[in-house]
Amino acid sequence: MNEVELLKVYGLEPDQKHCESIRQLLRQEIEEPEGEDNEVLKLLCIMLFAVGNVEDTELIWLAKRKNQDTGSYIDVQLLCGAGLAETLVYLENKQGDHAHEEWLYLKQCEPYDFVDFSKDQWLAGYKTFYNV
């Protein structure tokens, strides 16, 4: 699926009932070694960000860490659809190296990338970008 098809099926702010389908598509994009369509990868992350389930931060982190390009392409703010504080608490209580690595990354980014962070403002920017 391309971005137009994804937006047609799920919308930029998908219903909670579509989350598992979106997660599955994102996992496929992450696992695809030849996958170079960062637009689809990013849009799937934006959709999960819009829903705001704190658990999705881990999957978005995997997408961001897929390669150097996705690391730059996927905005750090997309890791915090549930909010920065909620995400940090979730990661702090989660076991494992990935959670700790993501927590450290967010803490480093906090003073620069999360000044006046507003999920609504980020979504408004994406709505304008995707013309929805």
Side-chain angles (χ1 to χ4, degrees):
M1 255 191 254
N2 64 31
E3 304 107 290
V4 173
E5 294 167 329
L6 285 169
L7 287 168
K8 191 175 191 178
V9 172
Y10 301 112
L12 190 65
E13 297 179 86
D15 189 286
Q16 182 77 30
K17 68 183 179 185
H18 297 298
C19 284
E20 195 50 47
S21 297
I22 294 167
R23 288 181 194 115
Q24 185 176 2
L25 289 170
L26 183 53
R27 283 185 201 99
Q28 289 171 359
E29 287 293 319
I30 292 168
E31 292 169 7
E32 178 58 50
E34 301 298 319
E36 294 186 21
D37 192 350
N38 291 336
E39 291 295 332
V40 168
L41 192 74
K42 183 174 182 173
L43 179 55
L44 292 166
C45 292
I46 293 168
M47 289 174 172
L48 291 177
F49 168 81
V51 173
N53 292 328
V54 72
E55 300 85 11
D56 288 326
T57 190
E58 295 173 275
L59 186 56
I60 296 168
W61 176 249
L62 290 176
K64 184 166 180 59
R65 304 296 292 171
K66 178 179 178 177
N67 59 46
Q68 187 173 359
D69 289 339
T70 61
S72 299
Y73 199 69
I74 296 175
D75 302 313
V76 64
Q77 291 82 359
L78 292 179
L79 296 168
C80 298
L84 177 62
E86 294 85 345
T87 303
L88 288 170
V89 168
Y90 172 80
L91 292 169
E92 194 169 33
N93 293 319
K94 187 87 174 159
Q95 299 295 317
D97 292 338
H98 290 290
H100 182 68
E101 183 182 317
E102 182 182 350
W103 183 87
L104 288 172
Y105 181 78
L106 286 172
K107 290 302 284 181
Q108 289 173 339
C109 294
E110 185 176 10
Y112 309 102
D113 297 306
F114 288 95
V115 175
D116 298 325
F117 171 69
S118 163
K119 178 180 175 179
D120 291 337
Q121 286 179 340
W122 277 89
L123 280 174
Y126 292 128
K127 286 177 184 177
T128 300
F129 179 79
Y130 290 106
N131 198 28
V132 294

